[in-house]
Amino acid sequence: QKEVEQDPGPLSVPEGAIVSLNCTYSNSAFQYFMWYRQYSRKGPELLMYTYSSGNKEDGRFTAQVDKSSKYISLFIRDSQPSDSATYLCAMSGGSNSGGSNYKLTFGKGTLLTVNP
Amino acid sequence: NAGVTQTPKFQVLKTGQSMTLQCAQDMNHEYMSWYRQDPGMGLRLIHYSVGAGITDQGEVPNGYNVSRSTTEDFPLRLLSAAPSQTSVYFCASSYGPYNSPLHFGNGTRLTVT
């Protein structure tokens, strides 16, 4: 079982739709959870960052973490064509998770297209 | 506010050639890393550095060398290019370990023929 699983899509939705993107993971030491957005031919950029379980909202974006289920989600409300990109989840352990605590573990990314 | 700068943007190499991918950051970040991104494989860590003079291997280090003589620069060297190294390479930096988001450059697209 891979440490982080992410459905690669592609996902195509009409403008204004609510989008749900998800990742599952197997390493219970993960405490820091991030979502990156990557436009075509660009580097990933940080979109959302959460620590431990719970929700975080930023404008049209909401990140959810359920550590008991080892499941994280990113919701996009009122999706726009400018949201068309690849979305990557990423996570890492804390200071007591051993020598790999520096490294982020990435999902493979979900390609999202929002159609006008 | 440059962030992470990678050069060149594109490169074509012949098998067996060597080259250095440059990476510089102006955010005074201690942590820097190199990833490669391939279709269906996601981002894979090649090498990383936790500070000047300190480097370590990531998930896919074979065929690559790194050094970190300054805080700002973290070059990646391909010793003898192979077609399997055709990829998009991203350099990233962060302020601290495990809980600090990565800042990425815009990548170097490398083709090895």
Side-chain angles (χ1 to χ4, degrees), chain A residues 41-115:
Chain A
R41 298 192 169 271
K42 295 290 188 182
E45 57 179 348
L46 181 70
L47 189 60
M48 297 288 282
Y49 172 86
T50 54
Y51 170 69
S52 194
S53 285
N55 293 359
K56 183 173 183 178
E57 187 173 322
D58 184 1
R60 298 184 293 109
F61 298 90
T62 299
Q64 288 186 350
V65 175
D66 182 348
K67 289 189 72 179
S68 63
S69 302
K70 296 190 179 69
Y71 187 87
I72 70 170
S73 300
L74 177 71
F75 297 96
I76 307 173
R77 292 185 301 279
D78 187 25
S79 56
Q80 303 294 310
S82 58
D83 296 327
S84 298
T86 297
Y87 291 80
L88 303 118
C89 63
M91 47 200 80
S92 68
S95 58
N96 59 350
S97 62
S100 63
N101 61 4
Y102 163 59
K103 297 172 231 180
L104 279 179
T105 300
F106 285 87
K108 291 183 179 179
T110 300
L111 177 61
L112 170 68
T113 300
V114 181
N115 301 299

Side-chain angles (χ1 to χ4, degrees), chain B residues 19-96:
Chain B
M19 78 159 294
T20 299
L21 279 64
Q22 302 291 345
C23 175
Q25 53 93 7
D26 62 359
M27 297 172 282
N28 202 31
H29 286 167
E30 289 293 326
Y31 297 84
M32 297 187 73
S33 52
W34 277 100
Y35 290 84
R36 60 178 289 175
Q37 188 174 41
D38 303 289
M41 302 295 289
L43 282 163
R44 292 184 290 171
L45 182 65
I46 304 171
H47 285 286
Y48 66 98
S49 169
V50 299
I54 307 169
T55 63
D56 205 348
Q57 296 181 350
E59 184 184 352
V60 288
N62 292 341
Y64 308 95
N65 270 358
V66 292
S67 60
R68 184 97 178 270
S69 56
T70 67
T71 299
E72 295 77 21
D73 300 298
F74 190 43
L76 177 73
R77 296 183 189 84
L78 278 68
L79 308 172
S80 177
S84 61
Q85 293 179 305
T86 294
S87 186
V88 182
Y89 291 86
F90 289 102
C91 178
S93 71
S94 65
Y95 180 73

